Amino acid sequence: MSETSSGVFICFEGIDGSGKTTHSRLITGYLRGLGFDAVYTTEPTRYSLPGRKLRESFFAPERLPVEEEFQLFLEDRKIHLKDEVIPQLKDGKTVITDRYYFSSVAYQGSRGLDWQFILDENLKVSIVPNLVLLLDLDVDEAVSRIASEREEGVNTFEKKENLQRVRDIYHKLADKFPDLFHVLNVNKPIQEVQEDIQDFIVNFLSTR
Ligand code: TMP
């Protein structure tokens, strides 16, 4: 899908436990403090029907069949784009999204769905972001962070072997799209990671 817009669209990706939500929220606040009109959004959404179905499925004992899961993420993404991302980009905002279609490639791909198919289906309905920040963390560290941070523990999306496959696909995506992806090692304290992100994004925005 092609869409003309004057804003900047930045997407955060990474395995569960990598700190995407923390860092994408922090950078949004930081950019606003610098005077950028920055907004935070997330997928799956909390308000669409497919988004709510997905969130309910996260703690179910059985995963949804992968094709159904993929379609729900795709439907939710269309709503997210139409209701939030595209209007705000048209208004000239810097839109920071916490997950986007690369999550479908990595996660539904890790369940055996052909990842070229996932990419192609998404590109029919999505706009390509200006930048993808991949927060990269080894799986053991990610799982121990999840276990220590959440009362409910590790969910079915977050089992170690799943996350390893997800991480491997993210690396392949970063290799395939080197102009789009920036990979950051996040195996260090939050403040240091956030400073790396601030430096990188401020520089990225100033060169546009
Ligand atoms: P969150 O924990 O970042 O809110 O994401 C919820 C889960 O949804 C996470 O385990 C990754 C998964 N997910 C997919 O499997 N495919 C997708 O397309 C997206 C956006 C998320």
Side-chain angles (χ1 to χ4, degrees):
M1 188 165 87
S2 71
E3 201 68 41
T4 48
S5 66
S6 54
V8 182
F9 189 20
I10 297 174
C11 136
F12 276 73
E13 292 284 355
I15 60 174
D16 304 82
S18 61
K20 277 174 312 52
T21 303
T22 303
H23 286 295
S24 47
R25 284 188 182 281
L26 283 172
I27 189 68
T28 306
Y30 179 76
L31 291 174
R32 292 177 76 87
L34 293 181
F36 289 94
D37 198 355
V39 288
Y40 167 89
T41 73
T42 187
E43 288 190 10
T45 70
R46 294 176 194 284
Y47 57 87
S48 82
L49 197 57
R52 289 210 307 271
K53 271 194 194 163
L54 282 162
R55 288 192 178 276
E56 275 164 26
S57 79
F58 291 164
F59 292 94
E62 291 281 321
R63 293 281 293 267
L64 295 170
V66 66
E67 289 81 7
E68 186 183 339
E69 195 175 82
F70 167 70
Q71 287 301 334
L72 286 169
F73 279 114
L74 196 63
E75 289 309 311
D76 179 58
R77 182 158 303 124
K78 289 186 206 166
I79 296 168
H80 177 225
L81 279 161
K82 180 172 143 301
D83 290 356
E84 296 186 78
V85 177
I86 291 172
Q88 304 200 83
L89 287 175
K90 282 189 172 153
D91 283 349
K93 297 187 182 178
T94 299
V95 178
I96 309 277
T97 184
D98 178 358
R99 294 198 182 281
Y100 193 38
Y101 60 79
F102 308 96
S103 287
S104 288
V105 179
Y107 281 81
Q108 280 62 62
S110 77
R111 296 188 64 197
L113 206 59
D114 178 62
W115 63 273
Q116 191 61 52
F117 165 79
I118 302 175
L119 202 52
D120 292 345
E121 290 302 295
N122 271 282
L123 288 172
K124 288 181 197 165
V125 299
S126 308
I127 51 174
V128 178
N130 300 102
L131 171 68
V132 181
L133 268 178
L134 175 57
L135 305 193
D136 189 42
L137 186 63
D138 68 66
V139 163
D140 287 330
E141 177 62 21
V143 167
S144 78
R145 286 189 190 181
I146 297 165
S148 68
E149 283 165 15
R150 292 194 202 155
E151 264 175 31
E152 66 272 27
V154 175
N155 72 31
T156 49
F157 280 57
E158 298 166 337
K159 301 259 166 66
K160 254 186 207 176
E161 58 279 19
N162 297 347
L163 286 186
Q164 189 58 55
R165 285 196 294 275
V166 174
R167 186 181 185 215
D168 291 344
I169 298 178
Y170 272 133
H171 285 171
K172 287 187 187 145
L173 281 168
D175 289 344
K176 189 175 162 77
F177 301 110
D179 296 340
L180 191 57
F181 272 71
H182 181 72
V183 183
L184 267 177
N185 168 20
V186 295
N187 201 354
K188 44 188 175 177
I190 287 185
Q191 190 49 39
E192 277 179 44
V193 174
Q194 181 57 204
E195 282 165 15
D196 291 347
I197 293 172
Q198 289 169 358
D199 289 347
F200 188 82
I201 291 188
V202 169
N203 184 51
F204 177 81
L205 292 173
S206 68
T207 56
R208 288 185 53 82

